[in-house]
Amino acid sequence: MTEDIKRVAREHLATEGADLSLRAVARDVGMVSSAVYRYFSSRDDLLTALVVDAYDELADAADEAERAAPRRDPHARWMALARGIRAWSLAHPHEYALLYGSPVPGYQAPEDTVGPASRPQLLLAQILRDAVAGSAVFPAPGDRLASGLRADMVTAAEFLDLGDVPAALVVRGLVAWTQLFGALSFELFGRFEGGITDADALFEFEMRAMSDYLGLRSAAH
Amino acid sequence: MTEDIKRVAREHLATEGADLSLRAVARDVGMVSSAVYRYFSSRDDLLTALVVDAYDELADAADEAERAAPRRDPHARWMALARGIRAWSLAHPHEYALLYGSPVPGYQAPEDTVGPASRPQLLLAQILRDAVAGSAVFPAPGDRLASGLRADMVTAAEFLDLGDVPAALVVRGLVAWTQLFGALSFELFGRFEGGITDADALFEFEMRAMSDYLGLRSAAH
DNA sequence: TCCGTTACGAGAGCGGTGCTCTCTTCTAGA
DNA sequence: TCTAGAAGAGAGCACCGCTCTCGTAACGGA
């Protein structure tokens, strides 16, 4: 039953967006609204369940896309990861907005979303780790990091299990990650409406630029 | 009266966020909800007015910050612009979400927002134009642009009145712009909660990286 | 001065929302 | 067979956006 409600809610999410109505979902399931509260303690609770599912779906899709790239080619893996994330996001714009858009008013993402939320980042972390281990990354220039920034990067490196990845590369990974989701947000939230017609080409350019910025080596690049 | 309503609505926006209630605004103004409809034909109409105002405020703040930087130092101007945009955004998180966050469900930004929406971008355009005119930019490497992407950049260059700025630099400007707003969205939408403590330092690093990427020359850089 | 027009606001009401409370029914286990 | 608990129904509360009607006050022209 819980799965039934989530399924219908996902459909509503896909068509109407984040302002899904618990009553409408209940109607579609064939229940009265109060009955839904047997399974979800509130509308936010239902939303949280969808958020967690969406993170997992995104991570699965990205993981699968990334796995198709040759293991020893970090550039190809990065591009595959980025394309995989974008493909899922374009196919699920409302879910994307839920995950990476403005926070739903009055909705505070609870603790149990941070685990799933970090899964996509772990995929990039793994690429960087493998690249460093396999010497498939050009040595990062000696960026001077402010002490607070360096400390944050060390913490992040521990959290993401980035063994030998230097802090200077970690922060560059964060820059690339920011670029990726900035690009997706621009595209999905309609900021390209007036002007950009070839969003595919722009995205490819951006991700290639980030690959260069990360210093990822590639067989054919 | 219209200004009165907008003022109160802005206050509500600052405290509650995008789900502002027309009735609550009316109460605070001292009117009954139906009276508000004399001034705004719908809640979306009121929201649009706030959006336009917010774009203008942001552009004004960014413009003022940018003007404080030396005219012939494009790096300093870019950093000042970025810092100005960030400062306004941190001071007005809900407005930022309204402008650059996920689209409000069921709300379609009407035509009259595209003008104000392009104002901030024009500030970057001016920096690039001056930098090229004053030879204060390292020649952009010969990035190969896909034909569709090149065409889009030419169109954008016309729209933004970028005279001699080459397409390869225009697209880099777009990359930097994307990075800027990606960073702000991450910060403002709470994606830094677990880990980043020195957001200032990270932002400085990112914007400096983008300045390098753009090839902006600086007296002391 | 009188009258008609117009702007402005109040009020009731419609259908929708999230959520709570109470009540009934149904089912599984002792 | 009896009982405890789960599951759903229904009514109701306070809120929402929005529409319609009505009263009032101000103003301009004859």
Side-chain angles (χ1 to χ4, degrees), chain A residues 13 18 47 50-51 54-55 93-102 104, chain B residues 102:
Chain A
L13 198 64
L47 226 47
L50 295 182
V51 164
Y55 273 125
H94 290 110
E95 275 93 336
Y96 175 87
L98 208 55
L99 301 186
Y100 295 101
S102 16
V104 177
Chain B
S102 15

Side-chain angles (χ1 to χ4, degrees), chain B residues 14 36 38 40 77-78 88 120 143 150-151 155 166 180 200 215 221:
Chain B
V36 176
R38 298 276 173 201
F40 297 95
R77 288 174 66 181
W78 157 253
W88 184 89
D143 290 326
R150 177 171 294 277
T155 310
L180 167 54
D200 288 8
H221 181 39

Side-chain angles (χ1 to χ4, degrees), chain A residues 89-165:
Chain A
S89 303
L90 290 178
H92 306 85
H94 290 110
E95 275 93 336
Y96 175 87
L98 208 55
L99 301 186
Y100 295 101
S102 16
V104 177
Y107 169 74
Q108 180 71 7
E111 274 305 310
D112 31 333
T113 61
V114 307
S118 63
R119 270 195 65 197
Q121 307 168 35
L122 285 168
L123 296 172
L124 173 57
Q126 196 160 6
I127 294 175
L128 293 182
R129 187 158 15 104
D130 290 354
V132 168
S135 299
V137 57
F138 291 97
D143 289 329
R144 287 183 57 98
L145 305 191
S147 63
L149 181 57
R150 177 172 294 276
D152 283 345
M153 290 308 107
V154 170
T155 310
E158 279 173 24
F159 177 72
L160 295 172
D161 198 22
L162 290 161
D164 291 331
V165 179

Side-chain angles (χ1 to χ4, degrees), chain B residues 7-10 13 38 41 44 48 53 57 76 79 81 94 98-99 106 111 114 117 138 143 159-160 188 199 213 218:
Chain B
R7 189 178 43 75
V8 173
R10 242 190 306 269
L13 197 64
R38 298 276 173 201
S41 68
D44 282 6
T48 298
D53 280 12
E57 267 190 39
M79 295 301 289
L81 174 61
H94 290 108
L98 207 55
L99 301 185
E111 273 305 310
V114 306
F138 291 96
D143 290 326
F159 177 72
L160 295 171
L188 284 163
Y213 177 69
S218 161

Side-chain angles (χ1 to χ4, degrees), chain B residues 1 23 30-32 34-35 38-39:
Chain B
M1 196 71 242
R23 290 179 107 114
M31 285 197 305
V32 88
S34 59
R38 298 276 173 201
Y39 304 94

Side-chain angles (χ1 to χ4, degrees), chain A residues 5-26 42-48 50 94 98 104, chain B residues 105:
Chain A
I5 296 174
K6 281 207 289 187
R7 188 179 42 76
V8 173
R10 242 190 306 269
E11 291 169 13
H12 277 241
L13 198 64
T15 58
E16 275 113 57
D19 61 344
L20 60 73
S21 144
L22 194 145
R23 290 180 109 114
V25 171
S42 70
R43 178 178 165 278
D44 282 7
D45 202 50
L46 173 56
L47 226 47
T48 298
L50 295 182
H94 290 110
L98 208 55
V104 177

